[in-house]
Structure formats: structure tokens, C-alpha cells
Amino acid sequence: MPEAMETQMTAGTPLLSDTSAVKVAARDVNVFYGEKHAIKGVNLDIKQNEVTAFIGPSGCGKSTFLRSINRMNDTIDICRVTGSIALDGGNVYDRSIDVVQLRARVGMVFQKPNPFPKSIYENVAYGPRIHGLCRHKDELDEVVMGSLERAGLLNEVKDRLDQPGTGLSGGQQQRLCIARAIAVNPEVILMDEPCSALDPIATAKIEELIDELRENFTIVIVTHSMQQAARVSQRTAFFHLGTLIECSDTEQVFTNPIHKLTQGYITGRFG
Amino acid sequence: MQVLILFLVLAVLTVIGFRLGRSRSVKLVGGDVARLHSLPGYYGFYVALWCGIPALLLVLAWVSLEGPVLTRLILSAVSPELLLDPNGGPISQAHLNLLVNDLRNIASGTVASTANPLVQAAGLQLASYREISFGAMTVVALALALGGAGLALRWVHADFRARNSVEKVIKTFMVLCSLMAILTTVGIILSLLFESYRFFARVPMTEFLFGLQWSPQMAMRADQVGSSGAFGAVPLFAGTLLISLIAMIVAVPVGLLAAIYMAEYAPRKVRSIVKPLLEILAGIPTVVYGFFAALTVAPFFRDSGQLFGLNISSESALAAGVVMGIMIIPYVSSITDDVVTAVPNAMREGSYGLGATKSETIRRVVFPAALPGIVGGVLLAVSRAIGETMIVVMAAGLSANLTANPFEAVTTVTVQVVTLLVGDQEFDSPKTLAAFALGLVLFVVTLALNIVALHVVRKYREQYE
Ligand SMILES: Nc1ncnc2c1ncn2[C@@H]1O[C@H](COP(=O)(O)OP(=O)(O)O)[C@@H](O)[C@H]1O
Ligand SMILES: [Mg+2]
């Protein structure tokens, strides 16, 4: 397919010069939904222990690209990915890669909080259980408590761990989902508009949390709020109609964008 | 016949009323329909309703009251000697009924059982009463129709809220329809209660509910009516439970797995073929399952039992239960399919996102989330199994054995209700009344099951809405 070949130049510094700091390296990534070409020739490096924000108008392919990093697109029959996405140098689309292992290394938090209809404890214990991470009950307890603690939720729920996770408030549910992802001890956490269903106070809490998590995890966050991108991220990637238009340090993108489309978007002229 | 013609005339009048109403409303505003409060059709309906409904109600009331009223009239007009018996006293009720019947037959022009000229004359008089009555009814009905239409036509003006009135009438009509369904149900329940009460007046309730002997035939003998043990329904309950249990053992696993396969694994193409096929299974008349059970499955079980040295009766609980289970598979699978597909995709994604495989996701997330709904569906299926009649009538046999052995013949509550009522029966013998008591038990059990099941299903629905 000829169109897949043409790789558009991305403005800014999508590729890092310090290759040792690269956690995820996407090269010439194309994603198709049947005939629809949703991601077109994206080249992008995601830096270790940083927050990278994906911004862009609705339908530009932010979620699609995010989900191709942990191969969540595998669950969609008509979806096809070409190119390579390397996690610590190993292509996640390689035949030898087991998606179960991959998703243990690359966790995900979704737009709408989606706790399982189980107790708070069981929600967090779910990942460690299926990966057989803990041999004993106390070990599991420790992991669950630790994850809730790191997600900043422990104090609010410690005396009702056996109550359903669905009974929490929206913001608490989302932090529960973050705790659930942390419990597997991933290296990368992907977040797809994690605050879009939350009120401003809950949003602020999550943003604070993301900033803390950066110390131990590499985080990629999709957001439709440019303020949020500016607040939490160190690097920002701007997508438009499936193409990665510009990617630089967040500061740079918001104060001094190079591409006209980026300028238009961040000054609110469209999208 | 004449009444039919009257109905036709009324219908024609109603149609005319509709047209008049509509055209009058249009004319009132000089063709500028937008100035009307309602669409012109509503004015038409309004007039039509006033034309048709009062007249219709009158005719219905008249026809239903006419018979008794005219009978009274004619009885007060006949020569008094017809009402006296040979001894000089008033004739008995039975004779009176006979006389009334004769009069009616003569009036209708059919032959009467006596040729008594007095009766003949009275019959003819009844005929003339009838004619007068019909004439009067026709006149009044037509007057009502015309009057109603005329009045309604005069009420039509531009600001008149015809739509509201018409909708109110339609709503009332719908309320009446639903009342009819409810009242019928209430009537059935009351008659069940009443007849059961009569039964329990003869056979003690404890006897019925806890007795271990069921043989209603014995009780037919005059000296043994209500004798102890004859109406102990425990063997029937046990048989019903046994067969339902076998049915559920077949239906639940098969239905569940089929539904989970269809909802989670099957490619869209397979699903679009298999799902309708399963629903066809639900459309097969139960009598077909019945002879399938009696003629194919039961002999098969008996013969294969012999191979293993087992003695399987040719009317075994096993055969009836298995076939009933097959019948119930679509109920279980379609409800399971519904609740499984209703589990939000976000649940699955959350699980996949943590690295769970498909089967882990189904076992640990989808299935537990769907479980309340599935339980509700299974309970509905159980109540269906308990009430099922045709299959067990044909395949389960009549002997009321108290046994838990599925290879033996057992009988069920529904089968016994059928056998108790088949043939000519006195309507107040304990034997027939027992059918009502059994029906009542069945009703109470399935009602309770349905209430619990619907409650469970509803609760599950709320969870995700
Ligand atoms: N499951 C799917 N099947 C087909 N097309 C899809 C699917 N998901 C997304 N798309 C299409 O891919 C494009 C990118 O979608 P998405 O990644 O969700 O955008 P964003 O997250 O930036 O709003 C859109 O045009 C959308 O219509
Ligand atoms: Mg999106």
C-alpha cells in the first residue's frame, strides 16, 4: 500500500537523541480499521520516567495509537497494525511476544472508570492473581495495600476494602483503576483521557497522582484538555487526522509551536 | 342478524360523522388548518366517537338486558294456569325453566316441546314483544348516534381541544383493555382459591400437602371419599421435582456454555446462524417434544439401559427430564446471551488491559458480572419446567411412585391435573376438586419463582444502567 510508505515529517523532536532514555520507540506505525487508515506513518520516541501527552482533535487517532502500544487493538477484529513499536528495544508486534506479558509490562487506564463488579480488594488483587505474582495471602495483601497507597486511595478506603468498587465516587473509581494497573508493577502506564468523566477536584487529584507516579513509571496520557497536558506532561505530541504533526517538550509546544496546525489547535482556532 | 345490520348502520353513521367533523373544522377556519387547535382528523374522530360510542353502549346494554326483562314481562302476561301445577300450587323451578325455554323456542320460530295452545300463544306474544323491543332499540340507538354527532358537530370550533378529548377517550379504552387482562387473572385465581377451598373442606390440607399416598381413583368409591392417604400429593411433588431437576441438569450447562460461546467466541457469521436456530428450538410445539420423548428417547434409554444391565422403565423420569431439558435450553441460552452481552465492554477491556486472557476474562469478570441475571434466567426456566405439561403427559407415566430413581416411572402435578379432569367427571367430587388444589400449588410455586427471578433480573439490570 503506497500511502503507508509516505512518511510525513513531524515537526519538533519526535525522536530523542539520547537513545538510552527511550522507553517506547514507534517506527513507521500505521493502523488500519478495515479500509480506514487511522494512523499514518508515525515515528515517535517516548522517554523513560516522563509523562508524554497526546493531544489533538477528536477522531485524530490518539486512542488508536495509544492502544497499539499495548496491543489492545488486537481485540478489534478489523484492526491491523504495521511498522514496529519497540519496548526497551523489543518489538511488541514480534511473533515471540506474548500479549499477556506485554500487558503486564504496559498497563492501561481507561476513559470511563471501569472497576470490576467486585470488592475494592479484589479489584486490585485481580492483576497479581492472574499473573500469579503472589504466593501467599500476606504477600497479596501487601501488594494490594501498597498499590492503593501509591494511588492515593488507601486512606479513603482502608476500612471498606470488602465493599464493591462500583460503590466509590467517580474519582475514587478512577484511582482504583490506577491502583489496579499499578498492582501488576508495569513499566509503562497508558491513560486514555482518564479525567474526562471526572469533576475538577477529582481531576486535580489524579493529575497530582500522575506527577508522583512519573518517578517509577513511564506514562503516556491522552487528553483533550490542553491545560491538563501543560500541567502534567513533559513532552507533548500533537496528532491531526492520523498524522503526528508535532512533538516536542511540552513547554515548547505550548509557547512556541512550529507547525501551523499545532498553533491553530492550541490557540483554539479549531478542534 | 338484525342487530348486525344495526351495527353496520351505526358504523356507516360513524364514518359519516368523521367526515363531517373533519370538513366542518376545515371550513370553520376557511381552509387555514394551522389556526385549528388540533389536526382536522381529530375533529373528525371527536364527532365519530360521539356518534358511535353512546349508541354502541346502548345497544350492548339493551341486548344483554332484553332477555331477562322480556321473560318477566311474558310470565306476568301468560294465563295463570300455565304457572300452576296439577295440585294447584305454583310450578317448580325446573318446570318454570322448561316453560320459559319453550316460549323462547316458539318465539324464535323453532319447534317447542309441547303443543299446548296457551303456550303457543304466549310464545307468539313473546315474539311480538321482541319485535317491539328491537324497534325501540333501533330508534333510540339511531337517535343517540345522530344526536351525539349533531351535538359534537356544534361543539367543533377552532379553539376546541379535540386532540385532548380524543386522546383521553383512547387512553380510557386502553385502561379498560388492561383491566380486562387483570380482571381475568384475578377471576382465575379466585376460582382456583374457591374450588381448592371446597377440596380442602373434604380432604384436610395437611393430608394433601404431606400425605405419601396418591391414588385419587380409590376415593371415588362412596365409602372412601376423602379416606386417608388417597390424596397425598407428595409423590407428585417429588416426581415434578425429579423431572425438573433432570431437565435443569441438561439445560443449564448446555444453555450456559452455548450462550457464552455465542456471546464471546463465535464469529459474527456463526452467531447469526446459530442464534436463530436455537430460537427455533423454542418454537417447536411441546407436543412434538412429547412424542419425541415417548417414541424415540424413552425406548432408546430403555434399550441402552439393558446393555448395561440396568432396568430402565419405558416411561422413565430420565427420558421425560432429558427431553424437557432440551426444550428449555433456548430459554437458558437466550437469557444468558442477553445478560452476557449486556456486560459492558469496558469490563472486558479493563481485564484485557491487565493482561488477562479471554478465558480468564470470561471466568473472572464477565461471568460473575452476569451471574445475577443468569440466576434469574435459570429460575424462570425452572418455573417453566415445573409447569410443563405435554412432555410429561406423553413420556412420564401415571404411576405415583415416591422415588428418587430416575430410571423409574414417576408422575407430575401437571400430569395428574390432566388425568383428573379427562373424561366425564362430576364437578364436585374430591377427585375433580383435587385438580384445582394441585393447580393452586403449581400456581403459587411458579408465581414465587417468577417473582424472585424477575426481581433478580431487574436488580442486575439496574447495576448497569
Ligand atoms: N473500532 C473501530 N472501528 C473502526 N474505526 C474506528 C474504530 N475505533 C476508532 N476508529 C476510527 O479511527 C479514527 C481514530 O479514532 P480514535 O483513535 O478513537 O480517535 P481519538 O481517540 O483521537 O478521538 C476515527 O476516525 C475513528 O472513527
Ligand atoms: Mg479517544
Side-chain angles (χ1 to χ4, degrees):
Chain A
M1 60 240 64
E3 46 185 335
M5 291 301 166
E6 64 174 69
T7 308
Q8 212 175 325
M9 278 303 291
T10 302
T13 54
L15 305 185
L16 298 168
S17 48
D18 175 11
T19 46
S20 66
V22 174
K23 185 71 189 174
V24 179
R27 290 295 177 271
D28 203 16
V29 173
N30 290 280
V31 183
F32 302 84
Y33 290 112
E35 290 297 297
K36 186 176 165 60
H37 198 172
I39 288 292
K40 301 170 186 162
V42 167
N43 288 290
L44 176 67
D45 283 344
I46 288 166
K47 200 172 161 193
Q48 184 132 24
N49 294 92
E50 261 195 4
V51 179
T52 305
F54 291 176
I55 60 169
S58 274
C60 67
K62 307 178 295 288
S63 301
T64 301
F65 186 65
L66 190 77
R67 291 162 58 94
S68 52
I69 299 175
N70 68 343
R71 292 182 54 178
M72 278 301 276
N73 287 332
D74 287 13
T75 57
I76 300 170
D77 290 338
I78 55 169
C79 188
R80 206 158 45 79
V81 181
T82 68
S84 82
I85 297 179
L87 177 64
D88 282 340
N91 184 3
V92 302
Y93 284 94
D94 209 88
R95 266 165 191 260
S96 62
I97 290 285
D98 178 10
V99 282
V100 169
Q101 306 288 302
L102 172 65
R103 289 179 192 153
R105 291 175 67 194
V106 184
M108 187 154 199
V109 175
F110 297 82
Q111 182 165 357
K112 227 182 112 206
N114 59 349
F116 303 130
K118 300 172 182 283
S119 71
I120 293 171
Y121 182 94
E122 283 302 320
N123 261 284
V124 184
Y126 185 83
R129 281 225 165 98
I130 56 173
H131 292 293
L133 296 183
C134 303
R135 293 189 180 281
H136 303 291
K137 176 88 173 90
D138 357 333
E139 228 178 306
L140 187 62
D141 284 349
E142 211 170 292
V143 169
V144 170
M145 296 306 171
S147 308
L148 285 170
E149 168 85 69
R150 286 161 90 183
L153 192 61
L154 189 59
N155 284 333
E156 290 159 64
V157 301
K158 63 169 172 267
D159 31 57
R160 47 170 170 157
L161 289 175
D162 53 347
Q163 281 172 29
T166 42
L168 297 173
S169 74
Q172 289 174 325
Q173 286 189 16
Q174 196 61 301
R175 276 180 285 148
L176 179 62
C177 292
I178 293 175
R180 189 173 71 181
I182 295 174
V184 200
N185 205 18
E187 300 156 33
V188 181
I189 302 178
L190 310 175
M191 300 185 174
D192 192 349
E193 303 193 21
C195 303
S196 65
L198 306 182
D199 62 72
I201 293 174
T203 300
K205 276 200 178 140
I206 302 252
E207 287 179 2
E208 214 172 290
L209 175 60
I210 291 173
D211 205 50
E212 286 164 20
L213 292 176
R214 171 161 68 94
E215 222 173 282
N216 299 303
F217 305 96
T218 302
I219 294 175
V220 185
I221 179 173
V222 170
T223 173
H224 61 248
S225 149
M226 278 170 288
Q227 292 86 341
Q228 185 168 65
R231 281 192 300 260
V232 301
S233 74
Q234 284 72 53
R235 270 159 59 81
T236 297
F238 171 65
F239 287 80
H240 182 72
L241 294 179
T243 315
L244 177 58
I245 300 292
E246 179 161 355
C247 176
S248 299
D249 290 348
T250 299
E251 176 106 23
Q252 164 88 29
V253 171
F254 282 100
T255 54
N256 198 5
I258 301 167
H259 200 286
K260 275 224 298 262
L261 283 169
T262 321
Q263 287 167 8
Y265 184 69
I266 63 168
T267 53
R269 242 172 282 150
F270 72 96
Chain B
M1 191 57 221
Q2 287 168 311
V3 178
L4 264 182
I5 294 175
L6 180 59
F7 274 132
L8 239 121
V9 173
L10 283 178
V12 171
L13 280 179
T14 307
V15 172
I16 295 174
F18 174 81
R19 309 204 127 210
L20 282 178
R22 194 176 53 181
S23 58
R24 180 171 158 80
S25 70
V26 175
K27 221 182 287 162
L28 272 176
V29 291
D32 180 10
V33 176
R35 275 178 51 211
L36 286 171
H37 169 271
S38 315
L39 289 171
Y42 280 110
Y43 294 94
F45 273 122
Y46 182 73
V47 175
L49 286 174
W50 268 106
C51 176
I53 289 183
L56 190 69
L57 288 180
L58 174 96
V59 172
L60 289 180
W62 195 299
V63 168
S64 56
L65 292 179
E66 186 187 56
V69 170
L70 289 190
T71 305
R72 288 208 146 200
L73 270 181
I74 195 73
L75 283 182
S76 62
V78 292
S79 36
E81 64 234 60
L82 273 180
L83 299 176
L84 294 176
D85 72 353
N87 307 334
I91 56 173
S92 67
Q93 189 62 39
H95 275 97
L96 191 66
N97 287 346
L98 204 64
L99 176 65
V100 168
N101 216 20
D102 276 347
L103 292 176
R104 287 190 179 156
N105 282 339
I106 294 168
S108 309
T110 39
V111 190
S113 59
T114 52
N116 185 334
L118 281 175
V119 177
Q120 196 75 26
L124 291 179
Q125 186 158 18
L126 179 60
S128 71
Y129 281 178
R130 280 189 182 172
E131 256 167 50
I132 295 169
S133 158
F134 179 76
M137 177 175 75
T138 309
V139 170
V140 177
L142 290 181
L144 261 181
L146 294 176
L151 268 180
L153 267 175
R154 290 186 55 192
W155 287 330
V156 168
H157 53 84
D159 296 331
F160 179 68
R161 300 170 174 237
R163 173 165 44 82
N164 306 27
S165 310
V166 169
E167 274 165 4
K168 211 177 288 169
V169 171
I170 291 175
K171 206 162 80 186
T172 313
F173 182 70
M174 291 192 284
V175 169
L176 286 180
C177 286
S178 56
L179 264 186
M180 191 128 89
I182 293 170
L183 288 182
T184 317
T185 315
V186 170
I188 290 174
I189 294 172
L190 283 182
S191 91
L192 260 186
L193 282 174
F194 181 69
E195 303 292 340
S196 304
Y197 176 78
R198 296 210 312 178
F199 173 74
F200 289 127
R202 284 164 216 219
V203 178
M205 193 182 290
T206 46
E207 191 85 47
F208 174 75
L209 288 179
F210 304 113
L212 302 181
Q213 269 289 292
W214 177 265
S215 79
Q217 305 306 332
M218 242 163 58
M220 286 297 283
R221 273 164 37 200
D223 54 333
Q224 281 200 350
V225 168
S227 71
S228 66
F231 284 104
V234 169
L236 312 192
F237 300 151
T240 306
L241 280 185
L242 179 63
I243 289 185
S244 304
L245 188 73
I246 296 171
M248 297 323 284
I249 287 175
V250 171
V252 171
V254 177
L256 270 186
L257 293 179
I260 289 180
Y261 169 73
M262 278 194 306
E264 298 285 330
Y265 288 99
R268 203 168 299 172
K269 221 175 191 173
V270 174
R271 184 181 158 85
S272 69
I273 297 170
V274 174
K275 216 178 166 207
L277 272 182
L278 264 179
E279 266 144 31
I280 289 177
L281 215 54
I284 297 177
T286 55
V287 67
V288 174
Y289 282 109
F291 61 70
F292 177 60
L295 302 182
T296 314
V297 179
F300 170 76
F301 279 144
R302 191 193 50 213
D303 296 347
S304 29
Q306 266 163 2
L307 279 181
F308 297 102
L310 291 171
N311 193 5
I312 301 181
S313 139
S314 55
E315 290 185 325
S316 64
L318 187 63
V322 166
V323 173
M324 196 193 276
I326 293 171
M327 180 196 85
I328 289 173
I329 288 172
Y331 291 85
V332 177
S333 76
S334 95
I335 293 195
T336 307
D337 187 70
D338 284 351
V339 293
V340 165
T341 37
V343 172
N345 221 14
M347 292 294 132
R348 296 185 186 86
E349 293 222 305
S351 173
Y352 294 144
L354 289 165
T357 62
K358 187 153 201 164
S359 74
E360 279 166 345
T361 303
I362 291 169
R363 267 185 295 128
R364 292 169 175 248
V365 175
V366 177
F367 188 73
L371 192 60
I374 293 174
V375 169
V378 169
L379 286 181
L380 283 181
V382 171
S383 87
R384 179 72 218 193
I386 290 178
E388 168 52 34
T389 309
M390 220 50 228
I391 293 176
V392 280
V393 164
M394 298 175 80
L398 295 173
S399 43
N401 294 325
L402 185 53
T403 174
N405 180 354
F407 300 149
E408 277 183 49
V410 296
T411 190
T412 69
V413 174
T414 49
V415 170
Q416 288 306 314
V417 171
V418 172
T419 37
L420 288 175
L421 294 182
V422 165
D424 285 336
Q425 307 287 356
E426 274 181 84
F427 210 66
D428 52 359
S429 75
K431 192 184 160 191
T432 32
L433 291 177
F436 286 95
L438 289 176
L440 184 66
V441 172
L442 210 55
F443 171 73
V444 169
V445 171
T446 48
L447 183 72
L449 274 174
N450 284 1
I451 289 176
V452 173
L454 289 178
H455 181 75
V456 169
V457 171
R458 184 162 338 124
K459 207 156 171 202
Y460 168 77
R461 294 251 158 85
E462 279 165 8
Q463 207 178 326
Y464 291 120
E465 268 163 18

